[in-house]
Each structure stands twice: as C-alpha cells, then as structure tokens.
Amino acid sequence: MASTSDIRNGLCIKFNHDIYKIIEFLHVKPGKGPAFVRTKLKSLTNGKVLDNTFSAGHKIDTVRVETQNYQYLYAEGNQFHFMNVETYEQITLEKDILDAPDLLKEGTNVMVQINTETELPLSVDMPASVILEVTYAEPGVKGNTATNATKPAKVETGASVNVPLFINEGDKIKIDTATGSYMERVKE
C-alpha cells in the first residue's frame, strides 16, 4: 500500500477493479480546505482515460511491475508481435495497449511493463521520438509561406502527420511519439 505522496508518472495502481497507469498528476494545496491530488489515469485493459481526484493521505494499491526491453516485429490485424531482446521470447499484444501503434516501425525497441504477480504485459512505453521516411507529401507551392503553414504527409508506417511545407517525399523526419507531431527534418 502507498499513499498519495508516492504518486508519480508511470505508476501502476489498482483502482475500481481495474489496473490504471498514472499519466499526469498535480498536487494541489488550496488556501482553504485539505490538500488533494488531481490525476489522469489510463486503463491498461481497455485504454480509456479518466480523471480522478484523491484526497491527501489517501491509501492507493500499487501494482508491482517489471520493465523489459522488447523489439517490435510485425502487426497482424489488431495483434502486434514483440520479441524480448534478451530471451528471444515472443509476445502478442492488442492494439489498445499501445500508445501510438501507427508510429511503430519494424525493428523499433520499446519498453514493456509486465505485472510481476500475473506475468501479463500491462503497457508499452515507446521511445520519446521516432525517425520515419515520408512516403507521400503534396508539393509545397512557392509563395505559399504563411507563418507555420503545414500540410499532411504520410510516413512509411501509414500514419498521417502535419509537416511544414518544405518537407518532400523521401525526407526523413523526427516525430514525437507522445503527441504524434512533427519535430524536425533529419539529415543522414
């Protein structure tokens, strides 16, 4: 058992007969009344996100997790296949567990959190950013250079990302996996 002072991003807890991962939290101490912790929780079974407020000192039931390094192999419908890089053991995960499945490229290393009591995978932590090649982008029109003008572009994994007008097909771009947004063009 832990209390609200132990809350941090990435902590897995048992709440309402389900397992949730804390995505965001904020300790609030109002001028009048008791302190509380405002949290955003993501269900690890169905992917739904909910807001919850815990009063200060509230006891929370934590789930012991172990983090292991896995490599993404391939997707088959809604099933995503991963291989443990140390034991070469393969696991299959549902698309709902993944935060950004459309940005996963074959061969990408991810961190998988596994419940130590049941040995079941709980969540997949993507790298902070991925580098993908643009497979389709409309050509930028000369003179169409308003501030921060963007256009949609398709990347090699099939995801659509808004990019600046100077990005062309064949360019490699860095994408933030948390927001799915363009970060920068990568020269190789």
Side-chain angles (χ1 to χ4, degrees):
M1 280 294 220
S3 71
T4 52
S5 61
D6 300 318
I7 288 179
R8 65 186 186 284
N9 286 342
L11 180 71
C12 294
I13 63 171
K14 286 181 186 167
F15 179 71
N16 283 353
H17 310 293
D18 200 356
I19 296 177
Y20 288 88
K21 181 178 178 181
I22 296 174
I23 301 171
E24 293 177 17
F25 73 97
L26 178 67
H27 286 276
V28 179
K29 175 67 176 110
K32 198 173 197 179
F36 57 90
V37 180
R38 198 175 287 136
T39 59
K40 192 172 275 191
L41 307 169
K42 180 179 181 185
S43 171
L44 297 179
T45 54
N46 58 24
K48 291 183 180 170
V49 176
L50 63 98
D51 295 316
N52 189 55
T53 303
F54 295 103
S55 57
H58 182 84
K59 296 289 182 211
I60 52 175
D61 197 6
T62 58
V63 177
R64 214 169 127 235
V65 294
E66 191 177 278
T67 305
Q68 295 180 358
N69 196 1
Y70 278 79
Q71 183 180 41
Y72 170 60
L73 299 176
Y74 62 94
E76 213 173 33
N78 282 343
Q79 305 278 320
F80 284 73
H81 299 269
F82 295 87
M83 177 186 67
N84 188 321
V85 294
E86 292 159 12
T87 63
Y88 304 110
E89 174 187 327
Q90 292 188 18
I91 60 170
T92 304
L93 300 175
E94 289 293 323
K95 188 176 187 174
D96 307 350
I97 287 185
L98 306 173
D99 292 332
D102 51 347
L103 296 177
L104 262 179
K105 181 180 173 184
E106 292 176 0
T108 304
N109 284 344
V110 296
M111 299 306 284
V112 177
Q113 291 183 334
I114 297 173
N115 185 341
T116 54
E117 295 169 14
T118 61
E119 296 295 323
L120 292 173
L122 294 175
S123 70
V124 176
D125 293 334
M126 296 271 295
S129 62
V130 290
I131 296 172
L132 299 173
E133 186 177 333
V134 175
T135 56
Y136 176 76
E138 301 265 337
V141 180
K142 190 172 183 174
N144 186 9
T145 54
T147 308
N148 294 335
T150 60
K151 62 183 180 183
K154 274 233 184 292
V155 291
E156 60 187 297
T157 60
S160 185
V161 178
N162 282 338
V163 297
L165 297 175
F166 59 82
I167 298 293
N168 298 312
E169 285 182 28
D171 288 351
K172 291 193 183 280
I173 59 173
K174 186 186 264 189
I175 302 169
D176 181 4
T177 56
T179 61
S181 59
Y182 167 86
M183 291 172 72
E184 64 184 353
R185 179 167 47 179
V186 177
K187 296 276 188 194
E188 288 188 349

